[in-house]
Amino acid sequence: MDTYQQELIRDLNPAQKLAVESLDGPLVIFAGAGSGKTRVITSRIASLIHNGVDPRKILALTFTNRAATEMKQRAIALNPKAVGSQISTFHSCCARWLREFADELGFNSNFTILDDSDSKSVLKGVIQKSSLSESAKASLPDYKQVLSNIKVQGLFPKDILKNKMLDDLPEGFDEIYKSYQVQLANCNSMDFGDLMMNMILLLRNNVKVKQILQNRYAYIMVDEYQDTNSVQIELVTALGQGTRNVCVVGDDDQSIYSWRGAKARNILEFDRCFSEAKTVKLEQNYRCTAHIIDAANAVIKNNQIRASKKLWTENPQGEKIEFVYESDNEMEAHHVVESIKSENYMPEQTAIFYRTNSQSRLLEEALLRENINYQIYGTTRFYDRVEVKDLVAYLRLLVNPLDDVAFLRVVNKPARKIGGKSIQTLQKYAEEASKSLLQIANSLSETDPKLFHKLMPFLACLNIAKKNLEREPLGNVLSIILDQISYLKYVEKKYPNQFQEKCENIHELVVALNEFSTANPNGKLEDWLQNITLVRGDNNISGYVSLMTLHMAKGLEFDRVYIMGFEDGLIPHKNSLESKQQLEEERRLVYVGITRARRKLTLTAAYRRLGYQGYVNLPPSRFLAEIPKECIKGLVEEASYGKLDETEVVDEENGITRHQSVYHPTYGYGMIDNIVVVHGKQKAVVEFDDFGKRTVPVHHLRV
């Protein structure tokens, strides 16, 4: 072995060295969390080039541009000749090949790749020209979602009627699919799904193209193989049948994207396509403390469909995992924020994970109250989400009939056949009369009865809500609006694949209004609107705490991690409880979340959680019992942490009772909102005049 090769593998562990040195023939590398898989892949590329392989003969595929860029940079750092290797995403590679072989498919090489908006526009045109029923024509989102799912499965129009597994397809879908593809071809265009589909079509039917690509790439590597779908598997298999030098790297324990067509079995059954494949397991973790690794192993071993492996680490034991059981979800958010304030972790090294986006609302408000900057990965902030902004706009109009911005946002949402021309006419009337759009709309019964008739359902909804504003809780007023405009039906039709998530956000908005009206009996809607506007204002502290769903956390790592909502119904999600397969994916999701933490991990749950229909009690997550007691502190079996204390008298000696005004030497004056028992000791949840809610020992309070 020469000096370069010795230096390349000098700091690798035995399993990593074996993976780097096993260059020829099929190879599957099971790379556990934090086991250095990217280093292994890039070292293999450098080693191949050093051993005489033309860099252009090497193909490395991954899923994101960020991962591809990092992989390429690290490979070049190890061997500058790696600049000639093709290291990119599946879709980028397919686009490049399709430009090269476009004429084999009947396309020109300058074909257009349509974005999501453009493809929706084409699909809408095809649907409108079809002979579908009017109700079917109004279901564009249904057709778009099914179309995406069908392409992930590698099914062409001719396959639809043959595939008996496909049921519940929208009316006439097979004809719509066929017409849509014809329309794209006529425009010399492909959508995003076609990049993979058309390459598969070439590899299936064009021997010349298949041989060219098989001869072009002598060595193929695929990162995150557990995330591949049926089309990607077929692509890799077809390209690799030439030299059979195919190396796939991944971890079935981190397969969490089944809803995108990914299957954990893909990496487990690699030897079905390449029977002579060798197996290497990277089990040494360099990221986490021993307690975190032991907990992750203990949880994931309960899955039955997985490769046999066990992470281990030479890192110190570190702190035990902390389990916090708060009285409700507001106190849960409060605890996390107080913990962040009291610890010395950098904001950019701190992350908070949750199962659903709707959980972020209370957390965001708590962070903003404490002037802690945060950033949300993969979605927008709660009050900036489309459905939330829509409904808040309705509420703004109840308070301020001069709010033309709010009016324009919702006057045709849901659709009321109030198009651009109607809006222009309305704006002209308003400008001439120096009135707001809502004011002028209410006065059109005689001057423009046709336009007034279009606006009547919208105006009636606002009038009904306005009448109820004085006598109903604020949450009820929003519920009335929801019913009047059938907003949930509108959301279900427009966002079928996001319907549940958006419903949760809408419900959370109702909860926020109810919380405000309960805490402020004399509070008005305008007060609440002002509050959410101010709480959304920018703050000035540098550094950001990261907020994201567990699905978004994959591939990231942080020194300090909190996983919130560790309860059955959230983690695992209620929709997965009846399916063994889905429950195993939920366990993999927990495994991913746990192994994102380098140094310290906290799991939080709430004794009761305020939802749309009031408080619900969810038991702590079943996964909690799978964590060894020696790895965790604050277990639910050992302490009644955060449970409600139902006694009225809190401190008889000092005359302190529930719902009483009290004084705290640090936080000043406030009102006792609730009493909780923490490890057998009473603590008071106090709404302080200047500091908001705090949980403090009862003996610190004075009347």
Side-chain angles (χ1 to χ4, degrees), residues 443-456:
S443 68
L444 291 178
S445 58
E446 294 183 5
T447 55
D448 195 333
K450 185 177 179 181
L451 181 53
F452 182 73
H453 181 73
K454 287 184 179 181
L455 292 164
M456 274 184 63

Side-chain angles (χ1 to χ4, degrees), residues 657-672:
T657 62
R658 192 189 301 270
H659 306 305
Q660 185 176 33
S661 294
V662 290
Y663 176 79
H664 186 275
T666 301
Y667 299 122
Y669 291 97
M671 173 83 69
I672 295 179

Side-chain angles (χ1 to χ4, degrees), residues 568-580:
D568 266 23
L570 281 174
I571 304 173
H573 195 272
K574 59 186 178 182
N575 292 347
S576 68
L577 298 181
E578 302 301 320
S579 165
K580 180 180 176 181

Side-chain angles (χ1 to χ4, degrees), residues 163-175:
N163 197 316
K164 296 180 181 179
M165 299 297 290
L166 297 174
D167 51 9
D168 297 327
L169 292 176
E171 177 187 330
F173 177 78
D174 53 327
E175 288 301 321

Side-chain angles (χ1 to χ4, degrees), residues 150-162:
I150 289 294
K151 289 190 175 185
V152 163
Q153 297 176 58
L155 298 174
F156 292 91
K158 63 182 177 60
D159 302 319
I160 300 300
L161 294 178
K162 297 178 185 177

Side-chain angles (χ1 to χ4, degrees), residues 229-246:
N229 58 38
S230 300
V231 178
Q232 290 158 339
I233 290 287
E234 185 175 347
L235 177 76
V236 172
T237 303
L239 293 178
Q241 290 299 337
T243 63
R244 300 183 72 79
N245 294 325
V246 179

Side-chain angles (χ1 to χ4, degrees), residues 224-278:
E224 303 286 9
Y225 197 69
Q226 78 282 347
D227 292 339
T228 51
N229 58 38
S230 300
V231 178
Q232 290 158 339
I233 290 287
E234 185 175 347
L235 177 76
V236 172
T237 303
L239 293 178
Q241 290 299 337
T243 63
R244 300 183 72 79
N245 294 325
V246 179
C247 170
V248 300
V249 186
D251 183 8
D252 54 299
D253 289 335
Q254 297 185 69
S255 179
I256 59 174
Y257 299 125
S258 63
W259 44 276
R260 290 197 320 213
K263 300 174 183 177
R265 289 187 180 275
N266 288 346
I267 192 167
L268 296 174
E269 298 174 354
F270 178 70
D271 57 359
R272 281 193 174 187
C273 301
F274 299 92
S275 57
E276 72 276 30
K278 300 177 185 176

Side-chain angles (χ1 to χ4, degrees), residues 440-479:
I440 205 68
N442 277 308
S443 68
L444 291 178
S445 58
E446 294 183 5
T447 55
D448 195 333
K450 185 177 179 181
L451 181 53
F452 182 73
H453 181 73
K454 287 184 179 181
L455 292 164
M456 274 184 63
F458 175 64
L459 300 175
C461 167
L462 293 178
N463 289 334
I464 291 170
K466 187 83 171 178
K467 289 177 182 177
N468 284 281
L469 193 56
E470 297 300 323
R471 59 175 183 264
E472 294 281 351
L474 296 181
N476 289 4
V477 174
L478 182 54
S479 296

